[in-house]
Structures are given as structure tokens and as C-alpha cells.
Amino acid sequence: MDVARGATLTIPDPARLDEVVAEASLADAATFAEACRRAKEAQPAWASVPAPIRGRAIQHLGRLVEENAEALARLMTREIGKPIRESLGEVQEVVDTCTFFLGEGRRLYGQTVPSEMSDKQLFTFRAPVGACAIVTAGNFPVAVPSWYIVPALLCGNTVVWKPAEYTPATAEAFAQLILHAGFPIGSFQLVLADGPQTFEGIERALDAGTLDKVGFTGSSEIGRRIGELCGRHLQSPCLELGGKNPLVVMPDADLDLAVEGALFSGFGTAGQRCTSLGTAIVHRDIHDDFLGRFTKAVTDAPIGDPTRDVLYGPMISARFRDRFEGWLELIRPHHTISGSSTVGRISSSNPRNGFVGDPDAGLYEHPVIVDGVTEDDELYRTETFGPIVGVASFDTFDEAIELANGHGYGLSSSIYTRDPLHAFRFRERVSAGMVSVNNSTSGAEAHLPFGGNGRSGNGSRQSGIWVLDQFTRWQAMNWDYSGRLQKAQMDTADVAADLGFRLAD
Ligand code: UN1
């Protein structure tokens, strides 16, 4: 959807299209750049607040999110149609992130390092990077933003947050919680803008020297453009891009467990996670058995009203629905489809058995399992954000690895096996930044490094201690208290060794 500068957006509930959740107006590039200027101005004062006290603001934020969890989750479910249980889980992910980083305010460790000279001491410090622009997608409208915003603020940076245009209500609610947590004016700002205006705003701020770091979660295509732009300014952005996440099923796997994992990671959030399962890669000996059980699980799964207990609800918005319907065209005659009575939109004229609620009221799509996927298929190498899962077969472990890596993405991955050797070999050879063993491709915990390689990112990692390297720069300090100029490498003492010494044969 192309939105004109300063345009107003009306956001309907994707499960009840006749109900309006929010109306929002979009800012332009100049407004975005001005927010960066203010963030830059506010940054030194925020950085001078001691880190444990900054951690206290994070603690308040965690508490506020926890106290408002139900309301925030309900709003998210109304705005993007995420099933309520998953929305509550996502809010919990924000709380977990705050819980981790409030303590980091009392750590944020540097090191004391020995010098090669006496009467001299070396140290390292983590220094904040400066003003940060955080641009996030709408499929995880609070958890993923918190992965950037919370550590960025904790480390003494200031933040301009640009959420997805199609989640203004959830973004506004989260921003209100942040603004009530005690962060000073200017340290956190929310700017809602479309992609082109945001890109231009980032460009202007970089040119003006008022932006020091960009964090971006979204498509590989836009990530590449942001990477190029930041690279020209000698900056490395934190990029969390797409995925085509493989789930390998070895012949010794617990098949019911593998099916459960494939169901949750393939169709949870209607397949609109960057960690969603792309292709199940199944050993030929168990292929038919796996496919039969997977098809049954998907066929029986309740789909529908996200306020009820369903596997998935509607697509996030009409834009996501339209894109998804385009990807359905990647299904070719050599493929076999299963999982529902038909494909495409679920409606009273194109019904789904056991649908929960009124299908005509929202943006619902039939789930599709596409069997017979090969490396030559476009479907194999295209991230298809929606309820579609490919199934491919393999004979040898090498073939499974090739299928798991061949698309060039490298975000999440999974293997189902009872053999530790397979698990460790998979870990070693898969290109993904995240590996699950006997667990689905989704479900990252808030304190393990999250991020990918290849088309999934530039190697940056979020979460836990690892994200600190995105929002701080190491500063090295040396202090010479000898009272003389001791020149490194030249004025160092040495130990005398007899290096000609050899043991007698
Ligand atoms: C994303 O889709 O951008 O592991 C993040 C998961 C979630 C996060 C997904 N905790 O699926």
C-alpha cells in the first residue's frame, strides 16, 4: 500500500473488518529527521544518568507492561489478529527482556586488563553509541521492538522508534508505557511514517550527523538498502531480516513431536513470523508417514476468531493477505497440496471445516501443505509470510543439509532426531544463526542471541548480553602511573629463555 505523505490511515480489526481499531496520520521525512536531531541532543544527558538508575527505568517499564499485559495483548489481538494466547506470550517476552536488562544496568561490565609494563593499568568501558533509529515490523509489534529499545536505552542511547504503519494502536500503547516508566523527555520518541519517508528521514539524519545507529527488522530487500545507506556513513546497522527456516526430520525422529513442532512453527501466527517454518525436510523412509500425520494435524486444527482458542487467526492486514495470495501462485502442477479442503481465502463460499467464528468477517486464509518441493522451485527459496509450509524429501544427511542451506537464508532451523551425532553435525553445518533440536523453529527465549546470516541479516545479534555489542562501543583506556613515558612494545621488560635447549634423544 502506498501512503501519501501526511496521509491518514484507518486500521480495521482483521478479524472483523467492519470494526475500526485505530486512525493514524503519518509523518514525513522532515519530521523523522527532526526527531533524530532531538534524540541526538537529549543523548548526553541520558547517558550521564548512572547505568543502575537507567536500569531502574527499565524495571519500571517491565512492571508497567506486566500490570497492563491483558489490555496490551487484547489490543494487539484486535489490531493484527494474533491469537490471544500468543499475544499474551509476546507481552511476556517484553517483560522478560526488561527483567534481563534491568540487571544489566548493574553489570554493563568493562574489564581490567594487565599491561605489558609495570605501574600501568589497562581498562575497557562500554560507551553508548548515540541516537538510534529503530524500525520494526508489525508481526511482533511489541516484543521485537523491545529487543532493540530496552537495551538501547539501558546502554545510555536515545531512541526514535518507527513501528509498522499497520500497528499504530499497539505502538501508541507501548509508547505510553515507555513514556510512563521514567525516561526523560527526548530519550524516546515514536514516529509513525511509511517506508519511503522513513528511509529518506534516516538518510537526512545520517547526512546531518544526528543518527548513530539504525536497527531494522523487516525484509531482506529493504535491509540491504539500509545496509548500503548506513555503510556509506561507516555505520553497521543491526539487521534482522527474513527467513526460510528448515525443519529436518530424521528417520529416527519422534514423528508426533515433529508434527507438533511443524504445526506450531508453520502455522502459528498464521505463518507470519520471521522464524516460521518454511520447508519440512523429511527422510524418504518416513516421508509418507510424516505427511499423513502432518496433514491430519493441520486439517483438524481450529482456525478462526483470534479471541478464542485457535491455531491461527486472520492475516495481519489486507497487505499481508494480498502478498500471501500472490505467493500461492508459486504452487506448481508437480506439487501435491493438503491441509484444508481448498486454498485461498476462507469464506462461506470457500469454507473450512471446523472454522471458529464468521469467516466472511475477516481476512482468513486456508492453510496449505505443499509436498514435493525441490531446490529448483521458487517456493523453496522465497520467504512466504503466511500459512503455507513446503515438504521436501532427502535420502542422505548431506542432501538434508544442502536443502536446509541452499536458499541462502540463515535465521532459524530445527532437527528432529534421537541421535546426538545428527544433532551436533546439523548444528555444525547448518548456516542458520539459531538451531533447535527436537523443538520447532519458533519460540526464541529473550536472553539467547537472536539473529541470522546470509539473506537473514548481517551477523548482528539481538537479545541477552550479545545485543550489548550493538548498542555500545568498546572504549579502551590505559593509565600509566610510573611517572615516566613508557613506550609500548619498546620499553617492556623481557624474560631470558634458553630457546636453543633440546632434550637428549
Ligand atoms: C520475529 O518473527 O520477528 O521466536 C520474531 C519467535 C518469537 C520471535 C519472532 N519469540 O518466534
Side-chain angles (χ1 to χ4, degrees):
M1 172 174 47
D2 250 341
V3 182
R5 179 185 301 215
T8 309
L9 287 181
T10 302
I11 309 295
D13 178 340
R16 291 168 189 79
L17 291 167
D18 56 356
E19 285 181 23
V20 172
V21 178
E23 300 225 320
S25 48
L26 297 178
D28 62 9
T31 310
F32 189 92
E34 171 59 14
C36 293
R37 194 196 61 72
R38 284 194 208 153
K40 182 78 180 171
E41 204 173 83
Q43 194 266 329
W46 174 237
S48 71
V49 173
I53 311 306
R54 297 198 301 258
R56 188 105 175 103
I58 301 294
Q59 183 178 11
H60 294 324
L61 174 60
R63 175 75 75 84
L64 278 166
V65 173
E66 208 160 14
E67 298 294 329
N68 289 276
E70 289 276 341
L72 189 59
R74 269 200 303 272
L75 181 60
M76 195 190 315
T77 291
R78 282 189 67 215
E79 193 166 41
I80 61 164
K82 185 174 281 202
I84 186 68
R85 234 183 124 235
E86 283 191 48
S87 294
L88 283 164
E90 175 167 353
V91 173
Q92 184 58 42
E93 210 162 334
V94 180
V95 176
D96 295 347
T97 300
C98 292
T99 304
F100 183 87
F101 284 104
L102 75 89
E104 202 53 42
R106 290 184 186 270
R107 282 185 297 269
L108 213 59
Y109 294 144
Q111 293 111 345
T112 55
V113 180
S115 166
E116 62 195 24
M117 285 165 285
S118 51
D119 291 339
K120 186 179 174 190
Q121 183 65 52
L122 312 180
F123 308 87
T124 66
F125 295 84
R126 284 191 181 277
V129 175
C132 307
I134 304 302
V135 180
T136 50
N139 58 338
F140 278 82
V142 294
V144 172
S146 80
W147 293 352
Y148 292 102
I149 295 167
V150 168
L153 288 170
L154 185 275
C155 291
N157 304 283
T158 49
V159 171
V160 175
W161 179 34
K162 204 298 275 184
E165 304 93 285
Y166 45 89
T167 60
T170 311
E172 164 78 15
F174 188 35
Q176 286 295 342
L177 296 176
I178 297 173
L179 292 170
H180 282 85
F183 300 101
I185 301 283
S187 55
F188 172 81
Q189 298 166 83
L190 165 72
V191 178
L192 193 70
D194 68 9
Q197 291 297 316
T198 304
F199 194 84
E200 199 187 316
I202 289 176
E203 196 163 15
R204 286 193 201 184
L206 286 169
D207 283 340
T210 51
L211 180 56
D212 304 292
K213 180 86 187 180
V214 178
F216 172 74
T217 293
S219 71
S220 304
E221 185 201 333
I222 305 294
R224 196 171 275 132
R225 288 187 56 209
I226 288 181
E228 278 170 12
L229 176 62
C230 293
R232 287 208 290 280
H233 291 267
L234 303 180
Q235 290 188 19
S236 65
C238 184
L239 299 177
E240 203 259 276
L241 310 177
K244 189 74 186 178
N245 309 299
L247 181 148
V248 171
V249 188
M250 296 301 288
D252 63 353
D254 175 336
L255 279 195
D256 285 332
L257 193 64
V259 164
E260 209 184 335
L263 185 72
F264 173 70
S265 56
F267 296 100
T269 321
Q272 300 166 111
R273 301 181 191 130
C274 56
T275 56
S276 289
L277 166 59
T279 310
I281 300 168
V282 186
H283 192 274
R284 208 171 298 281
D285 289 352
I286 48 155
H287 168 273
D288 293 354
D289 196 0
F290 173 83
L291 186 64
R293 295 188 206 202
F294 189 30
T295 296
K296 180 169 171 18
V298 175
T299 308
D300 293 348
I303 292 168
D305 185 342
T307 62
R308 304 192 23 208
D309 190 15
V310 290
L311 175 62
Y312 70 82
M315 301 300 286
I316 291 172
S317 71
R319 177 159 90 177
F320 281 73
R321 191 269 317 273
D322 294 347
R323 270 193 329 180
F324 176 69
E325 289 188 349
W327 286 317
L328 289 176
E329 283 160 27
L330 300 180
I331 302 173
R332 297 277 180 261
H334 68 270
H335 294 138
T336 314
I337 58 170
S338 61
S340 212
S341 48
T342 179
V343 290
R345 187 163 182 178
I346 306 176
S347 64
S348 43
S349 52
N350 199 29
R352 154 111 184 152
N353 267 347
F355 187 86
V356 181
D358 174 10
D360 296 326
L363 303 167
Y364 296 99
E365 290 288 324
H366 283 277
V368 203
I369 300 170
V370 182
D371 185 36
V373 169
T374 73
E375 264 175 302
D376 299 328
D377 289 331
E378 218 179 318
L379 185 60
Y380 164 75
R381 64 179 57 84
T382 306
E383 183 185 33
T384 45
F385 230 62
I388 182 169
V389 171
V391 178
S393 322
F394 70 93
D395 292 304
T396 65
F397 189 72
D398 282 352
E399 278 169 30
I401 293 290
E402 203 170 305
L403 281 161
N405 293 337
H407 41 71
Y409 285 101
L411 187 62
S412 185
S413 64
S414 155
I415 185 167
Y416 280 80
T417 181
R418 290 186 166 99
D419 185 345
L421 198 64
H422 290 145
F424 279 110
R425 289 221 166 113
F426 182 71
R427 201 269 325 140
E428 205 172 286
R429 294 177 58 188
V430 76
S431 57
M434 298 177 286
V435 184
S436 297
V437 180
N438 295 330
N439 185 21
S440 81
T441 55
S442 291
E445 297 186 36
H447 51 284
L448 253 198
F450 187 103
N453 306 316
R455 292 166 78 191
S456 297
N458 58 350
S460 50
R461 294 292 180 264
Q462 297 183 277
S463 295
I465 53 169
W466 299 274
V467 74
L468 296 176
D469 289 332
Q470 293 298 317
F471 291 111
T472 57
R473 295 220 172 104
W474 283 112
Q475 186 179 48
M477 174 174 155
N478 75 83
W479 187 336
D480 192 321
Y481 43 93
S482 67
R484 302 168 278 138
L485 175 65
Q486 302 192 87
K487 299 190 205 74
Q489 295 92 40
M490 290 176 262
D491 294 338
T492 51
D494 203 355
V495 286
D498 176 10
L499 294 177
F501 174 75
R502 298 289 178 274
L503 293 172
D505 270 339

